[in-house]
Amino acid sequence: MPSKQAKGVEIWDEVFSRCLQERVDFPEFVKLIVKASSKAPVSGQVCLSSLMKHDHVSVVDPRLLIYVELLLQKGIVDIPDVLSLVLQMFGVSVARHVVAMSPPRSGRKSYEVPMLNLVTHELSENRKNSSDSNAKTKAIAISRPFGQWLAFFSRNFNSVDGLSGSALEVANALGQFAVSFINHLSLVGLLDGKITDVVRKPFRNLPNFIALLSHPGVELAHNLDLLHKQFGLQERASLEGGLLDESDLKALTYNQGVLDIPSTRTRAAPFIYLNAMLVGRPLCDDAAMIDYLNARYNDDVSALIIDLVTASFDVLANAIQRQEPPESITLIRSFITNKLPTTLYYFSPMTFLPFTVEYCITQALNRMGPAAYPSYTQEIDLLGGEGLLADARSEFLFACALHQLIPEQSIEGILGDIPMQSMAEGGKYVKDDLVLQCTANPGRIEELIRELEKMEGNAGEIVGALVEIIQSLCGQKDSITLKSICNMLSRNTQVLDIVFLFTMPSSILQPLCQLIDHWHDPEDQGEHHPVYDEFGSIFLLILIVMNHFVLQHYDLGILYHGSFVLKYLVSGRTSQEIESLSEHEKQRLGDWIRWLLENEDLLEPFLIPSLITGLGWLAKRIWETDTDAPELAVLLPTLQALVKPPSISGDAAALHEAVLSIAAEGLERGLTHVQELHPRRPETNALLATLKQRTQRQRNDAASHTELEAWCSSAGGGILVAVRHTIRTLLQWCNAASSNTAPPNYTHKQILTAHRLLGAKAVLEPLLDELLRDPASSEAVLDIVTSMICASDSADFPATNSDDNTTIVYHRQARRQLSLRDALTILNENAYTLSKTDAPRAEMAVRLHRRVEAQLARSNQQGNNLVTDADNAMMLDLNDAGSAAMNMGQGADIDHVVAGVMDDIMATGDGSFNMEL
């Protein structure tokens, strides 16, 4: 016979199942739960467990959130019940992702943030009843699960690695609840006079939690720290006999007392931001850019669109003026035509008459062209620059028409001339349609790759389809089709530049590396050339991408330390003793040596990738030679045979060119060294001439020798003086921008180089100097300097998905250098001390820090506001990105770890929660 508790659970199961399936309205829901509560009283934890058990939709259900709110209002559940429930859900998520070496992702279905926001709201409502005799008891009851939350963050995260993805969103929501809870404790009188251990104990992990929030949420962390110390919630050992003394309180409140100066939006700021995105490897994180623009323009969408379009063309005009390589100019044009319209499309629903997207684009383009750049046009006519700008304007407008941002018939009126281009013949592409086309006809893949260089507005959808196809082919181990794709991409690094405007390198490299690492060794087929050809082509693309964008092994997103690719990249050019090889490795090495001696051909297509290591080894040996170098008699003829082979097959020739483009720079350095020591060796000159024709520019943000020499030779202080001069030049341009003058000569490489040579603290000083130089221009300079600090830096920009916390940690550890933002945060924390000797500098540092943090604040769109009408905001069109992550096929291993983590979470509780995991 079922127990009374079991019968009660059955009744609640029936109520919640019906309400969620039939979408029962809220008055009816209240009647049902009141009736169930009187008929079958159960604990609040059991009640919530039953409700969540019947949540079967694939996304966060706003109606369920309102049901929880109504349960709270009716007193059937309370805030501690909800906090315990949410902690269990979050603990399960973290446990599963720890096993899979991947963090919680912000796209997954997650109730943690909206429910934490709900209880924060409920707590503020409870303040109306703060005089209730039970108010203190209820507040102490909240302390227990709140303390478990802080303990969980303290055990599972640390301030060095930081937070990202949904973990950061949950931490921010918990921080807001913590602020509200401390104020509530004060309101009910629990923080008056001597604080009891019962109240203080749950806060013992609050300092660790504040440290976690200090970088991504500095204002929230500061507020929590202030409350923590003002109310004396520290452990007794750290109180030292009482609350903070007067000097400590002044230090805590100094920053809040610094008044801001009025903000202004300069033309230079978005120009700097976009220049940094495109100066090296494309650093186009859509979410980060949208967050930055939203923070900067604060709902002024028309100004946002005008400034963004203007800045994009300013970057192109600047590149033409600086005579940047054709590859760089093509990348910028592709950004304008293929990337910018999709960004504008995101903001287009937020525009209102009369400030339509067409109006904003027209206003922006009126700043360009011969009428806008009269002197500049004369300077670049010889380069064909004005033709490039005119073509780019026309291409951009047709791409905007393709994305339905403007009518096609309005293009002629905007340009003031008959356009020479036209809309894309195939219309607007859709990624899913392209994937189906390529699945039915693999030859379509090569057609699409060739179309990537077109300026028509479809590149984003092509890249999306290409990434999905590559990932699918890797999963299917279809190495034949992959070989064709990889060969085509390897031969054209310009296409790779465009691909990574729309995706992270790891989205392609990671599945390819996994395929290589788990490659089936066809021992039963002998030395099967087609299989080695496929392996070689795939591996070559990995190496070319790594070299072209100057990526490191941790940028691959591979965490498996036994990875062949990782071993090759880390120690591929390191000699090994024969004795260190296993018997199997010795046997295979012997087979290869025998085969090479018999065939004497290192230029077979499947052996081409090995030339990268071989030529790298030769470059190193040649560089190490001295005046008495008999080994050159062997090294140079060998190099001659590999660089200028007398004959090579058609399939291998293109791959050979790609390999030479990687190795040419190192070989040039070595041969130049030999030429200086042995000027009479004719083969050296011939080899250098051949290599100079094949040297390919790497797409990174490192300065050239010419640039570095020019900056460092600046009189009066070297590169730091050059940085200050650049800021003044940008300021002069902004002051003259009303007359539509051309952008100044600018590259973000300058400040990046100064930072890497001298460190963040040294670079921050001249930035502050310029802010203080002329009070009349401080508003504009503050906007310029803020943009310089906010702008992307590849050293802080992992080549993997931004939610991949583990790889971000590796990236930070490998860098081992403070960013400008880090240095500014440290200065801000010590502003009170600085104010005693240099008050204006301390105040400006606080203002700059506020501005930087405000513009770099990542949005927290998940559950920020409670939904008051569930049917009006169901969001059922969202994909459940988290469902696959929660079901990783780890079986009992995952369940075992989850169970262990849950035991740890509830170690200080009664363990009575019965939510089905």
Side-chain angles (χ1 to χ4, degrees):
M1 182 176 180
S3 66
K4 186 176 180 180
Q5 174 80 0
K7 287 183 178 179
V9 173
E10 289 178 2
I11 292 173
W12 283 101
D13 282 347
E14 183 180 348
V15 169
F16 291 138
S17 177
R18 175 193 163 191
C19 290
L20 289 171
Q21 287 181 11
E22 299 178 9
R23 318 304 290 168
V24 169
D25 61 19
F26 306 132
E28 179 65 18
F29 176 79
V30 170
K31 293 178 183 178
L32 290 173
I33 61 174
V34 170
K35 183 177 179 180
S37 180
S38 61
K39 185 177 180 180
V42 294
S43 69
Q45 294 181 351
V46 171
C47 180
L48 285 175
S49 177
S50 175
L51 174 64
M52 299 307 298
K53 186 165 56 178
H54 296 284
D55 173 40
H56 299 307
V57 297
S58 61
V59 295
V60 171
D61 187 349
R63 185 174 292 272
L64 183 145
L65 293 173
I66 298 177
Y67 285 171
V68 173
E69 185 175 14
L70 293 172
L71 288 168
L72 282 165
Q73 291 175 2
K74 293 302 176 183
I76 297 172
V77 302
D78 54 25
I79 291 176
D81 296 328
V82 179
L83 287 175
S84 297
L85 166 77
V86 179
L87 178 56
Q88 287 210 24
M89 291 191 295
F90 186 56
V92 170
S93 170
V94 171
R96 290 181 182 273
H97 286 85
V98 165
V99 172
M101 296 298 287
S102 175
R105 301 195 177 190
S106 56
R108 67 181 179 87
K109 175 181 175 179
S110 170
Y111 282 102
E112 292 95 320
V113 172
M115 283 199 180
L116 284 171
N117 290 337
L118 192 155
V119 292
T120 302
H121 172 75
E122 187 68 17
L123 194 61
S124 65
E125 291 296 313
N126 287 349
R127 291 176 188 170
K128 300 173 184 177
N129 304 317
S130 60
S131 59
D132 184 355
S133 58
N134 294 324
K136 290 184 178 180
T137 303
K138 292 179 180 177
I140 291 174
I142 296 173
S143 296
R144 186 180 187 185
F146 175 69
Q148 291 172 344
W149 265 103
L150 295 179
F152 181 81
F153 267 98
S154 182
R155 286 193 299 268
N156 291 279
F157 302 94
N158 62 76
S159 58
V160 175
D161 298 345
L163 297 167
S164 67
S166 58
L168 175 57
E169 296 171 358
V170 172
N172 282 327
L174 182 63
Q176 297 292 347
F177 176 81
V179 171
S180 182
F181 181 48
I182 294 173
N183 286 321
H184 181 74
L185 289 173
S186 175
L187 194 63
V188 300
L190 286 172
L191 301 183
D192 297 339
K194 185 178 179 180
I195 301 174
T196 64
D197 287 340
V198 174
V199 175
R200 181 180 291 118
K201 186 177 179 180
F203 290 90
R204 65 181 181 271
N205 288 301
L206 185 59
N208 294 335
F209 182 71
I210 292 172
L212 282 173
L213 287 177
S214 62
H215 193 77
V218 64
E219 294 298 329
L220 177 58
H222 178 77
N223 291 338
L224 270 176
D225 188 52
L226 184 62
L227 290 170
H228 182 228
K229 293 176 179 176
Q230 280 184 334
F231 287 113
L233 292 171
Q234 308 100 313
E235 294 284 354
R236 287 185 178 276
S238 64
L239 287 175
E240 298 180 353
L243 299 180
L244 300 174
D245 58 29
E246 185 178 356
S247 62
D248 290 331
L249 286 174
K250 285 183 178 178
L252 286 170
T253 57
Y254 172 78
N255 290 30
Q256 292 182 333
V258 174
L259 297 178
D260 260 331
I261 59 176
S263 61
T264 186
R265 298 187 196 129
T266 64
R267 183 169 175 176
F271 167 68
I272 293 167
Y273 189 85
L274 293 184
N275 188 289
M277 284 176 56
L278 301 171
V279 74
R281 169 169 66 89
L283 307 179
C284 298
D285 183 332
D286 291 346
M289 182 168 69
I290 288 172
D291 286 343
Y292 167 78
L293 293 172
N294 279 328
R296 175 175 172 78
Y297 289 93
N298 194 25
D299 298 330
D300 188 354
V301 179
S302 58
L304 183 158
I305 293 175
I306 292 172
D307 287 359
L308 184 59
V309 174
T310 301
S312 300
F313 281 93
D314 282 341
V315 171
L316 176 60
N318 176 65
I320 296 171
Q321 181 185 26
R322 285 174 46 81
Q323 300 184 37
E324 296 281 0
E327 298 86 356
S328 296
I329 292 175
T330 299
L331 177 67
I332 299 170
R333 288 178 62 196
S334 186
F335 173 85
I336 291 173
T337 305
N338 293 306
K339 184 82 173 179
L340 183 57
T342 60
T343 305
L344 300 183
Y345 185 82
Y346 174 86
F347 289 105
S348 61
M350 308 172 200
T351 58
F352 300 96
L353 291 172
F355 303 108
T356 63
V357 175
E358 181 179 351
Y359 168 83
C360 296
I361 290 174
T362 303
Q363 291 296 111
L365 293 185
N366 283 340
R367 299 179 179 182
M368 303 338 136
Y373 295 163
S375 60
Y376 178 53
T377 304
Q378 297 172 4
E379 292 177 10
I380 63 178
D381 270 346
L382 294 176
L383 304 172
E386 177 51 35
L388 283 176
L389 286 171
D391 288 346
R393 287 192 292 272
S394 181
E395 293 159 355
F396 167 67
L397 289 174
F398 277 108
C400 288
L402 183 74
H403 289 272
Q404 299 181 343
L405 292 168
I406 61 174
E408 184 179 1
Q409 58 268 26
S410 67
I411 293 177
E412 184 175 338
I414 296 174
L415 289 175
D417 198 0
I418 299 175
M420 301 300 293
Q421 290 85 359
S422 61
M423 289 262 284
E425 291 183 7
K428 186 178 182 298
Y429 285 169
V430 177
K431 184 198 76 172
D432 293 340
D433 293 343
L434 297 180
V435 172
L436 291 175
Q437 293 172 21
C438 295
T439 303
N441 175 23
R444 177 69 172 139
I445 302 174
E446 295 191 10
E447 294 175 3
L448 291 174
I449 292 175
R450 283 191 288 268
E451 288 187 37
L452 279 172
E453 294 184 88
K454 292 184 177 180
M455 305 297 168
E456 295 181 338
N458 275 322
E461 295 298 307
I462 296 175
V463 171
L466 181 63
V467 170
E468 185 171 322
I469 290 166
I470 289 176
Q471 292 175 348
S472 176
L473 292 173
C474 288
Q476 299 167 15
K477 294 182 169 55
D478 184 353
S479 55
I480 297 176
T481 309
L482 281 171
K483 171 191 171 183
S484 175
I485 296 174
C486 292
N487 283 347
M488 197 165 185
L489 292 174
S490 297
R491 290 194 292 263
N492 192 344
T493 54
Q494 180 73 79
V495 168
L496 291 174
D497 295 342
I498 296 170
V499 165
F500 295 126
L501 274 175
F502 302 94
T503 189
M504 295 288 188
S506 66
S507 64
I508 291 177
L509 295 182
Q510 192 173 38
L512 292 177
C513 290
Q514 290 176 346
L515 179 63
I516 291 291
D517 286 337
H518 298 90
W519 192 271
H520 175 64
D521 190 3
E523 294 183 353
D524 56 333
Q525 303 178 36
E527 304 300 340
H528 190 46
H529 276 210
V531 174
Y532 286 120
D533 286 348
E534 295 153 17
F535 181 98
S537 296
I538 296 169
F539 191 40
L540 179 59
L541 176 61
I542 296 171
L543 298 177
I544 285 177
V545 172
M546 296 291 290
N547 177 82
H548 182 61
F549 296 106
V550 197
L551 302 178
Q552 303 301 321
H553 61 275
Y554 45 76
D555 288 316
L556 290 170
I558 300 176
L559 302 177
Y560 169 53
H561 294 292
S563 164
F564 160 76
V565 178
L566 284 183
K567 289 180 179 178
Y568 182 91
L569 292 173
V570 173
S571 57
R573 298 179 182 179
T574 304
S575 300
Q576 296 186 52
E577 298 289 340
I578 293 292
E579 292 75 14
S580 67
L581 301 179
S582 67
E583 290 301 320
H584 178 71
E585 289 171 334
K586 290 178 182 178
Q587 179 183 347
R588 298 309 300 269
L589 178 61
D591 292 341
W592 276 108
I593 292 173
R594 190 178 309 109
W595 187 91
L596 290 172
L597 289 174
E598 291 173 356
N599 293 273
E600 292 186 355
D601 191 355
L602 284 172
L603 298 178
E604 288 281 349
F606 72 93
L607 286 175
I608 291 290
S610 65
L611 283 182
I612 296 175
T613 302
L615 291 174
W617 182 87
L618 281 172
K620 182 180 178 183
R621 288 301 305 272
I622 291 172
W623 172 259
E624 293 171 348
T625 57
D626 53 25
T627 52
D628 183 17
E631 63 268 26
L632 285 177
V634 176
L635 293 176
L636 292 180
T638 303
L639 185 60
Q640 178 84 17
L642 295 177
V643 171
K644 298 180 65 177
S647 64
I648 187 171
S649 67
D651 290 340
L655 299 179
H656 180 256
E657 289 290 319
V659 168
L660 285 185
S661 70
I662 293 177
E665 187 174 356
L667 289 170
E668 272 193 74
R669 285 196 297 266
L671 289 171
T672 301
H673 169 68
V674 170
Q675 190 179 47
E676 292 172 353
L677 295 177
H678 307 279
R680 296 183 180 181
R681 298 192 76 106
E683 65 267 47
T684 306
N685 295 332
L687 282 169
L688 279 171
T690 301
L691 290 170
K692 285 179 179 178
Q693 297 173 3
R694 289 167 172 79
T695 300
Q696 192 176 74
R697 296 179 180 89
Q698 293 176 318
R699 178 144 292 282
N700 66 346
D701 52 20
S704 67
H705 291 295
T706 303
E707 290 172 325
L708 188 59
E709 288 176 0
W711 297 331
C712 292
S713 61
S714 300
I719 194 169
L720 294 181
V721 170
V723 169
R724 294 188 65 174
H725 175 73
T726 295
I727 295 174
R728 295 179 191 182
T729 303
L730 289 168
L731 178 64
Q732 292 171 2
W733 175 53
C734 293
N735 291 336
S738 58
S739 60
N740 295 329
T741 55
N745 187 323
Y746 176 81
T747 174
H748 199 65
K749 291 180 181 180
Q750 185 187 68
I751 196 164
L752 295 176
T753 303
H755 174 212
R756 291 164 190 171
L757 288 175
L758 304 175
K761 292 182 179 179
V763 175
L764 197 57
E765 292 304 314
L767 300 185
L768 288 170
D769 290 340
E770 286 302 302
L771 282 166
L772 295 167
R773 184 176 65 88
D774 181 8
S777 61
S778 60
E779 297 171 17
V781 177
L782 181 59
D783 192 50
I784 292 171
V785 172
T786 298
S787 187
M788 285 182 164
I789 296 175
C790 290
S792 302
D793 179 352
S794 62
D796 289 324
F797 199 96
T800 57
N801 186 288
S802 60
D803 282 336
D804 189 344
N805 197 48
T806 308
T807 306
I808 291 173
V809 171
Y810 288 161
H811 201 96
R812 289 175 180 164
Q813 290 175 343
R815 173 181 175 142
R816 299 184 184 279
Q817 186 180 33
L818 282 178
S819 67
L820 288 172
R821 184 185 182 187
D822 294 333
L824 182 59
T825 298
I826 294 171
L827 186 59
N828 177 71
E829 291 172 352
N830 295 284
Y832 176 67
T833 303
L834 177 61
S835 69
K836 296 177 181 179
T837 56
D838 193 342
R841 199 175 195 83
E843 291 176 1
M844 191 58 74
V846 171
R847 295 186 187 110
L848 178 60
H849 181 261
R850 282 180 191 160
R851 201 68 59 89
V852 168
E853 293 303 319
Q855 293 194 10
L856 288 180
R858 297 303 297 263
S859 65
N860 184 13
Q861 300 175 358
Q862 185 174 349
N864 275 345
N865 300 303
L866 291 176
V867 180
T868 56
D869 183 354
D871 293 327
N872 193 29
M874 197 59 69
M875 302 182 294
L876 291 178
D877 58 327
L878 295 176
N879 292 322
D880 182 17
S883 61
M886 293 293 286
N887 184 20
M888 298 179 184
Q890 299 291 334
D893 292 337
I894 290 251
D895 295 335
H896 176 75
V897 175
V898 169
V901 172
M902 296 315 301
D903 288 343
D904 191 36
I905 291 174
M906 302 306 293
T908 57
D910 56 14
S912 60
F913 220 104
N914 189 31
M915 186 175 73
E916 291 190 359
L917 300 180

